[in-house]
């Protein structure tokens, strides 16, 4: 009589593939714990909402809004807890059918922001403003007509203005045009100046000064530009970094960012160099 192999036999172990890697969520969780950070602290530093941080640490990426955003969140959280994001993003691609095609980032960040309720038009204020405008126009017209009549008499009684004559042989010397300083020369050397332009798509951006003051937080539409200055440092978060053209202290940043990726950057006097 032959005895079959038990489920725990060594032969079965040899036939089953082994993967010693931690899951992405567990790796991020262990990295956060090792860095001594709480979920609230990670959320505050990355601007990734607390429920999404919890979901990612449990390997639930359904709340990220798609593969592009999941990869961006993994990269952002990994950097926040001191991990190399490249292996985790590669692991995500292996487990979810490869690298996704880029998609616009605006719907995700618009969904995460709290939208104010639409304000109803104040018709009473509009009517009052219209009445004030009409009364003011009528009064101005009447006053201006009277003043014009009085002023005409004053001009008639006054001396005629002298006419400047120019000698026929003397030609006026043209004034040479003033040189226009270049964009780089116009940047103050004692400050850090950062200019962002959304070239071919919109992008959500956040900019803070060195003292933590929020300089801007919102969408930069296609073709729009924003310039920020500080005495020491400007910190940036780019929600859709691909379309952004970046100038720091008058010099163009040549680094090409990935469309749909979330980038955290910091620039100081003497840069451009990513922080």
């Amino acid at each position: 009589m032959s005895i079959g192999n038990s489920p725990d036999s060594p032969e079965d172990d040899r036939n089953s593939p082994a993967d010693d890697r931690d899951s992405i969520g567990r790796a991020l969780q262990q990295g956060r714990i090792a860095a001594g950070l709480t979920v609230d602290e990670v959320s505050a530093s990355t601007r990734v909402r607390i429920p999404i941080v919890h979901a990612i640490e449990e390997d639930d990426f359904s709340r990220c809004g798609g593969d592009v955003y999941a990869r961006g969140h993994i990269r952002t959280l990994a950097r926040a807890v001191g991990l190399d994001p490249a292996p985790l993003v590669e692991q995500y691609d292996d487990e979810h059918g490869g690298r996704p095609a880029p998609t616009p980032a605006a719907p995700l960040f618009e969904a995460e922001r709290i939208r104010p309720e639409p304000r109803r038009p104040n018709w009473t204020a509009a009517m009052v403003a219209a009445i004030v405008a009409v009364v003011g126009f009528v009064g101005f017209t009447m006053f201006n007509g009277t003043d014009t009549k009085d002023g005409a008499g004053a001009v008639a009684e006054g001396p005629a203005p002298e006419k400047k004559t120019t000698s026929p042989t003397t030609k006026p010397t043209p004034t040479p045009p003033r040189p226009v300083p270049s964009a780089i020369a116009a940047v103050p050397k004692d400050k850090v100046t950062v200019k962002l332009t959304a070239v071919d798509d919109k992008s959500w951006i956040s900019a803070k000064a060195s003292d933590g003051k929020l300089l801007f937080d919102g969408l930069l539409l296609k073709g729009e530009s924003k310039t920020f200055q500080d005495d020491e440092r400007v910190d940036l978060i780019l929600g859709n970094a691909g379309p952004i053209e970046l100038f720091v202290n008058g010099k163009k940043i040549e680094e090409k960012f990935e469309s749909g990726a979330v980038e955290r950057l910091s620039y100081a006097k003497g840069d451009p160099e990513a922080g």
Side-chain angles (χ1 to χ4, degrees):
M1 180 177 63
S2 60
I3 301 175
N5 292 330
S6 65
D8 299 328
S9 65
E11 292 183 2
D12 290 342
D13 292 340
R14 288 195 299 269
N15 293 332
S16 58
D19 189 351
D20 294 334
R21 294 184 301 181
D22 284 337
S23 70
I24 297 171
R26 179 171 175 78
L28 292 173
Q29 183 184 56
Q30 293 300 319
R32 174 179 59 77
I33 294 173
L37 299 172
T38 65
V39 172
D40 289 356
E41 290 171 334
V42 170
S43 174
S45 65
T46 62
R47 302 184 69 85
V48 178
R49 294 190 295 124
I50 292 175
I52 295 180
V53 177
H54 279 300
I56 291 176
E57 289 191 354
E58 295 172 0
D59 293 302
D60 177 9
F61 301 99
S62 62
R63 305 191 63 172
C64 294
D67 289 338
V68 171
Y69 307 113
R71 295 171 80 254
H73 286 327
I74 291 171
R75 185 181 291 108
T76 300
L77 295 178
R79 289 174 177 170
V81 301
L83 297 178
D84 182 5
L88 296 177
V89 173
E90 182 179 356
Q91 182 177 346
Y92 179 87
D93 291 343
D94 293 341
E95 296 172 356
H96 293 80
R99 184 172 180 175
T103 57
L108 170 67
F109 292 98
E110 289 175 355
E112 291 186 0
R113 295 169 64 83
I114 299 175
R115 295 185 175 88
E117 294 183 359
R119 298 178 60 185
R120 297 181 178 178
N122 191 336
W123 296 110
T124 303
M127 292 177 64
V128 171
I131 294 172
V132 171
V134 172
V135 173
F137 176 75
V138 173
F140 172 77
T141 303
M142 295 176 62
F143 174 79
N144 192 41
T146 304
D147 184 62
T148 302
K149 294 177 181 179
D150 295 342
V155 172
E157 294 175 1
E162 296 183 0
K163 295 184 179 180
K164 295 182 180 180
T165 58
T166 304
S167 173
T169 59
T170 304
K171 295 183 179 180
T173 304
T175 303
R178 298 179 62 184
V180 178
S182 66
I184 296 178
V187 175
K189 295 182 179 180
D190 59 339
K191 296 180 181 294
V192 54
T193 303
V194 178
K195 179 181 178 182
L196 302 95
T197 302
V199 178
D200 53 11
D201 197 359
K202 58 187 174 182
S203 177
W204 173 87
I205 65 172
S206 174
K208 287 186 178 181
S210 57
D211 60 359
K213 179 182 178 181
L214 185 64
L215 303 176
F216 181 79
D217 181 18
L219 277 177
L220 191 64
L221 300 179
K222 177 180 177 181
E224 288 185 345
S225 297
K226 288 286 184 183
T227 301
F228 309 106
Q229 274 191 348
D230 188 67
D231 293 335
E232 299 295 335
R233 188 180 74 253
V234 174
D235 298 322
L236 301 173
I237 301 176
L238 310 181
N240 180 23
I244 292 297
E245 182 180 66
L246 188 59
F247 283 81
V248 178
N249 296 327
K251 298 179 182 179
K252 184 177 181 180
I253 300 298
E254 299 297 338
E255 180 181 358
K256 299 298 182 183
F257 300 119
E258 183 179 351
S259 181
V262 179
E263 294 289 343
R264 300 177 61 84
L265 306 168
S266 181
Y267 295 101
K269 291 182 291 187
D271 283 341
E273 285 183 4

